[in-house]
Amino acid sequence: MHDVRTEEDLLTIRHAVRAATLREGFSIVDQTRVVTAASELARNAYIHGGGGTLTVESLTRPGGGIRLTIRDEGPGIADVEAALTDGFTTGAGLGHGLGGARRLMDEFEIRTAVGRGTTVTVTRRAGR
Amino acid sequence: MNGASPAGVPILRLGDVLVTGLLNELDDKSAVAFSEELTARITRDGARGVLIDISRLEIIDSFVARTLMELTTMARLLGARVIVSGMRPPVAITLVELGLQLTGVETALNAERGMAALGWRQNSPPPEGALA
């Protein structure tokens, strides 16, 4: 479990996720997809969620893969569909973070409620 | 003139072109510092072109993409043309999937082609078998 509290944490997380993709034998393109998605989601938690945590798990199921869980206790997202739409932004990014991360990963799940924070779980299978 | 910038990347002047790059460790604070230093250098050195090499970048997320687009716009407003060179192929693939096209940002395959596009030419032909 990694903290997402500072800009330095964002860099630490990228390194940790990169190392995990290497252990899973991901191709260089898949490594780049997963690290980029992690960076987007961690930055969301840092900027919009007021900080949070990121967990990296190896999938034990056949073929393997990686699951990332990014959790914050921020204000939550009132309109998830809108937040997943390209161009939607309330912060300093380009509004492609959430929807973009969904496209970069195989599975994407978001649980959020106003005042209850946001948890995003994403999975990328190895060796597709 | 060629000291390390607050962002940790030197900005070199070659004639009327400034040559610099971005590192993986770019954060908000260093992005702002880099923008300030680059725009000051464009003005002070009368630069007409800026080459930003990104061959070290292992990923480009929406924060770095926004930084590149803003740097390009700032330089253009000061009369300088920016070329971003050296993007890694996996980064290009990921950027497109992310939905980011770096609209308005000119690119070149590598620093040498970027410099050529900015008006720089080699005086002598490259050695036999060298990469273009």
Side-chain angles (χ1 to χ4, degrees):
Chain A
M1 174 117 67
H2 302 272
D3 272 339
V4 189
R5 305 276 169 209
T6 65
E7 292 249 3
E8 289 75 52
D9 288 344
L10 298 179
L11 295 176
T12 307
I13 281 164
R14 273 161 50 173
H15 291 143
V17 173
R18 170 80 66 181
T21 60
L22 282 169
R23 281 196 300 275
E24 294 293 324
F26 277 41
S27 70
I28 181 68
V29 177
D30 275 346
Q31 290 172 37
T32 307
R33 287 186 176 110
V34 174
V35 176
T36 304
S39 184
E40 294 290 343
L41 296 172
R43 186 171 286 277
N44 274 349
Y46 170 63
I47 303 238
H48 304 293
T53 58
L54 177 143
T55 309
V56 186
E57 291 168 273
S58 274
L59 299 183
T60 51
R61 70 190 184 198
I66 279 185
R67 175 181 295 128
L68 307 174
T69 304
I70 297 91
R71 179 174 287 121
D72 69 61
E73 274 98 53
I77 300 171
D79 187 342
V80 173
E81 280 311 307
L84 281 165
T85 305
D86 280 353
F88 177 89
T89 178
T90 57
L94 283 166
H96 289 251
L98 215 47
R102 179 164 69 170
R103 284 193 293 276
L104 291 176
M105 303 296 282
D106 291 319
E107 292 166 26
F108 178 98
E109 186 193 303
I110 182 165
R111 275 173 291 141
T112 183
V114 174
R116 294 215 190 143
T118 301
T119 299
V120 179
T121 306
V122 290
T123 304
R124 182 97 196 171
R125 293 184 292 277
R128 302 193 318 158
Chain B
M1 177 159 301
N2 292 334
S5 76
V9 190
I11 299 175
L12 312 175
R13 185 177 68 80
L14 296 178
D16 57 6
V17 175
L18 297 177
V19 182
T20 185
L22 291 185
L23 297 178
N24 277 316
E25 290 72 26
L26 190 74
D27 61 21
D28 268 313
K29 213 183 291 174
S30 53
V32 169
F34 185 70
S35 302
E36 287 176 4
E37 191 190 2
L38 185 63
T39 49
R41 284 291 299 274
I42 290 169
T43 310
R44 179 153 56 99
D45 296 348
R48 293 173 194 275
V50 179
L51 183 89
I52 302 178
D53 190 76
I54 58 164
S55 57
R56 294 285 293 275
L57 292 189
E58 293 177 343
I59 68 158
I60 293 184
D61 58 13
S62 55
F63 166 70
V64 175
R66 187 182 62 116
T67 301
L68 281 171
M69 291 167 73
E70 288 180 355
L71 285 171
T72 299
T73 305
M74 289 173 201
R76 182 173 55 74
L77 291 172
L78 296 172
R81 176 180 170 198
V82 171
I83 294 189
V84 170
S85 69
M87 185 183 296
R88 298 181 183 195
V91 171
I93 292 169
T94 302
L95 261 185
V96 169
E97 290 177 358
L98 206 49
L100 300 173
Q101 299 162 44
L102 292 188
T103 308
V105 179
E106 267 190 278
T107 54
L109 181 65
N110 54 38
E112 189 171 6
R113 290 195 184 174
M115 289 303 282
L118 289 170
W120 267 78
R121 292 285 179 269
Q122 282 182 300
N123 290 326
S124 52
E128 202 67 31
L131 292 174

